Amino acid sequence: MPISAARRAARRAALLTATTALLAAGCSDGGDDTADATKPSASAGLSALTSQKLSWAPCPAPSAAEGGGPAPSPLPGGAAWECSFLQAPLDWAVPEGETIELALIRARARDQDRRIGSLVFNFGGPGGSGITGLPAFANEYESLRGRYDLVSFDPRGVGRSDPVECLTDKELDAYYALDFTPDDEAEERTLSDAQKRYAAGCERDAGPSLPHVGTENAARDMDLMRQVLGDDKLHYFGISYGTELGGVYAHLFPKNVGRAVFDAVVDPDAGVEEGALGQAKGFQLALDNFAQDCVDRGEECTLPGTSVAEIESFITDLLASLDKQPIPGIGERRLTQTQATNGIAQALYSKEYWTYLEQGLNDAEGGDGALLLSLSDSMNGRGQNGSYSNIQAANAAINCVDFKQRYTLGQAKERLGTFREASPVFGDFMGWALASCSQWPVPGTWEHPDVSAPGSAPILVVGNTGDPATPYEGARAMVKALGDGVGVELTYEGEGHGAYNSGNGCVKKAVDAYLLDGKVPVSGTVCK
């Protein structure tokens, strides 16, 4: 397949989730929206923010931090996208203090007479831009625009909302080409030094805003957004990390939850290590399914091997050879072992991408690393012109503010055996990634999110049994953690990251019936 086609196919996964280095997690401060010492108090400053009026205007082209490209195309029927900025406190503990601007985008409901309200989307990451994400996926949500204004935003630290940017484009090219699975002490020192430079760059760029980019602040931003948009309840569609953000919102503001859907669900009980290990298993399962599909297709599959074990042995041998000697990629850039692993993971986000993975592996075996490097670039937010969005910088900033745990490279190294057992292909990659926040200049806040939401309206939780990035077990854990009468489980027996956009009619019908008509499916419903 052409490289440009691979980029377009991989774009959705890049927005839904960031690198496999860290599973997004967070936590609330405990309790609901009643006052305590850790929560913003009522003030004139907060009253001014909740009563602000948004000034909507035609959307400009995305900023470089959002990934660049043209302004969003008109919607079906010719309706235009509208953009605005919301003023929010930099520090929610001091709501009358300094403010930041949060970028919003909106597509107004087609049937204004039957309009339910706004439906707010978060497409994941953390670090994905909603300003580019919502127009990119708009056709898939057109049925929901019948009765909702579709709304999304760049969370704080992301895209056009005071973005965190850590290194120059040239420096990022070198950073992502590093060996993130060191084989000796010299490579460990190189990786540690690089992580330190990266973290220092983030601190230098973001300055005093860096401690305030976490998930709880983003959840409070969403409640401010709800009020300014004029909605009594927050109707919400969260995907991947967006499910965690939605869970934290539901915990903080259970009585403000309207109709909400969580798709591709983060396990709220998982800390850094448990989350990374779960992802290692999830990506390995997806790779097993890819290899089995190849076996089932017989001679139609061009990869060497007649069994899952033989095909995966070919892949591990290829990665080992790239560790010793990278191959030509795109222009002067070469494909390294780390980038190839990242590219393989990217292609496992959807069964639609398996054809790119098959071709990319074949090409790399023949000495051409362009396609796998292109897939890795998409994961890392690199455009064809060599510029990077800030998706990975924001991902690191949000994760490291949320997570209390700090693993050194030595501690990560001690756990490699467990990770290798979980995944011969991704184990090293995920295990070493435990140390991603080891050099971070801002302390973490929590171990995992509290998403308990007694008193909330039902939340439809959709799990995909073949999801590599947010394994299916996370959906069941979320249902349990939300509490009795809140979490409603819907299972999709399929492949890829997420379910609503998989093309499965059963899932789409159930989700649309809930969001549009308020019909809650029976918990435990299975779609095949």
Side-chain angles (χ1 to χ4, degrees):
M1 296 290 177
I3 292 173
S4 59
R7 285 187 189 280
R8 290 193 298 272
R11 178 172 177 79
R12 178 171 179 269
L15 285 165
L16 293 180
T17 191
T19 62
T20 54
L22 283 174
L23 178 66
C27 179
S28 69
D29 56 12
D32 57 18
D33 53 344
T34 55
D36 67 31
T38 69
K39 298 176 181 178
S41 58
S43 68
L46 186 56
S47 176
L49 290 173
T50 57
S51 62
Q52 66 184 289
K53 303 298 182 183
L54 298 177
S55 178
W56 295 98
C59 293
S63 68
E66 290 171 310
S73 300
L75 291 145
W81 291 96
E82 300 175 308
C83 285
S84 188
F85 284 97
L86 174 76
Q87 297 293 325
L90 171 64
D91 182 353
W92 269 102
V94 190
E96 69 278 4
E98 184 179 350
T99 62
I100 59 172
E101 286 188 331
L102 304 178
L104 275 64
I105 188 168
R106 176 178 74 174
R108 300 191 70 188
R110 293 192 308 275
D111 188 346
Q112 288 292 311
D113 292 336
R114 300 178 65 236
R115 177 182 175 275
I116 297 169
S118 304
L119 181 61
V120 177
F121 288 79
N122 181 282
F123 294 98
S129 166
I131 304 298
T132 59
L134 186 56
F137 311 142
N139 287 341
E140 300 172 15
Y141 301 105
E142 183 62 16
S143 61
L144 300 176
R145 192 168 70 91
R147 300 188 63 196
Y148 285 102
D149 293 346
L150 305 187
V151 177
S152 194
F153 64 109
D154 286 353
R156 52 178 63 212
V158 175
R160 210 177 298 169
S161 299
D162 195 18
V164 179
E165 296 176 290
C166 305
L167 299 175
T168 66
D169 292 337
K170 185 176 180 180
E171 289 170 335
L172 286 172
D173 276 346
Y175 181 72
Y176 291 127
L178 287 173
D179 188 345
F180 281 80
T181 57
D183 300 312
D184 53 42
E185 291 184 1
E187 290 185 351
E188 289 178 29
R189 285 194 298 273
T190 298
L191 178 57
S192 179
D193 290 345
Q195 290 175 333
K196 186 175 183 178
R197 288 193 299 272
Y198 188 91
C202 299
E203 182 179 30
R204 185 168 54 250
D205 175 79
S209 67
L210 198 61
H212 303 296
V213 298
T215 298
E216 183 184 317
N217 278 334
R220 294 191 184 281
D221 292 340
M222 288 204 302
D223 200 59
L224 174 62
M225 191 182 310
R226 172 192 65 79
Q227 297 173 73
V228 174
L229 289 171
D231 292 320
D232 292 333
K233 303 286 185 179
L234 179 75
H235 305 298
Y236 180 74
F237 202 130
I239 305 159
S240 195
Y241 161 79
T243 66
E244 179 181 287
L245 175 59
V248 172
Y249 178 90
H251 175 69
L252 291 172
F253 307 103
K255 296 179 182 178
N256 294 346
V257 174
R259 298 174 188 175
V261 174
F262 295 173
D263 186 10
V265 187
V266 172
D267 186 341
D269 296 332
V272 172
E273 186 172 347
E274 297 85 358
L277 189 60
Q279 280 198 323
K281 294 175 180 178
F283 277 99
Q284 185 63 47
L285 173 62
L287 187 67
D288 292 345
N289 293 340
F290 162 78
Q292 185 62 58
D293 177 76
C294 191
V295 171
D296 293 343
R297 289 189 291 116
E299 293 183 358
E300 290 182 10
C301 178
T302 57
L303 297 179
T306 58
S307 68
V308 170
E310 289 177 354
I311 291 172
E312 293 186 359
S313 179
F314 156 71
I315 293 172
T316 55
D317 288 347
L318 174 63
L319 293 173
S321 70
L322 290 170
D323 189 31
K324 297 177 182 177
Q325 183 62 54
I327 61 175
I330 302 172
E332 296 181 356
R333 299 164 63 229
R334 300 176 73 81
L335 178 72
T336 66
Q337 180 196 43
T338 295
Q339 290 164 325
T341 307
N342 208 34
I344 293 168
Q346 171 75 319
L348 293 173
Y349 275 98
S350 172
K351 193 171 183 178
E352 296 175 12
Y353 311 156
W354 286 5
T355 184
Y356 303 125
L357 178 54
E358 183 178 337
Q359 181 179 336
L361 291 169
N362 272 318
D363 289 351
E365 174 67 8
D368 179 1
L371 184 47
L372 286 182
L373 183 54
S374 178
L375 288 165
S376 180
D377 284 348
S378 183
M379 178 80 88
N380 289 329
R382 188 185 194 274
Q384 289 179 317
N385 64 356
S387 66
Y388 285 85
S389 74
N390 90 313
I391 186 171
Q392 294 298 356
N395 178 265
I398 296 167
N399 277 327
C400 294
V401 167
D402 280 353
F403 291 138
K404 182 181 292 184
Q405 302 96 321
R406 294 290 186 262
Y407 294 84
T408 66
L409 282 176
Q411 291 170 328
K413 189 175 182 178
E414 292 172 356
R415 290 160 171 79
L416 289 180
T418 301
F419 278 83
R420 287 168 177 162
E421 184 178 349
S423 173
V425 174
F426 302 103
D428 271 17
F429 192 62
M430 304 294 287
W432 283 111
L434 290 175
S436 295
C437 293
S438 62
Q439 308 280 0
W440 204 252
V442 176
T445 307
W446 43 59
E447 294 184 357
H448 61 83
D450 185 350
V451 300
S452 59
S456 169
I459 296 173
L460 184 56
V461 179
V462 189
N464 181 349
T465 58
D467 197 314
T470 50
Y472 173 67
E473 291 78 11
R476 290 195 165 173
M478 179 67 79
V479 168
K480 182 178 179 180
L482 287 169
D484 293 342
V486 179
V488 177
E489 184 177 1
L490 175 65
T491 297
Y492 168 51
E493 294 184 353
E495 298 291 339
H497 189 41
Y500 185 81
N501 295 329
S502 66
N504 182 271
C506 171
V507 172
K508 191 174 190 304
K509 182 178 179 181
V511 171
D512 283 3
Y514 178 49
L515 289 176
L516 295 172
D517 301 318
K519 296 179 180 178
V520 182
V522 175
S523 190
T525 297
V526 177
C527 291
K528 300 182 179 180

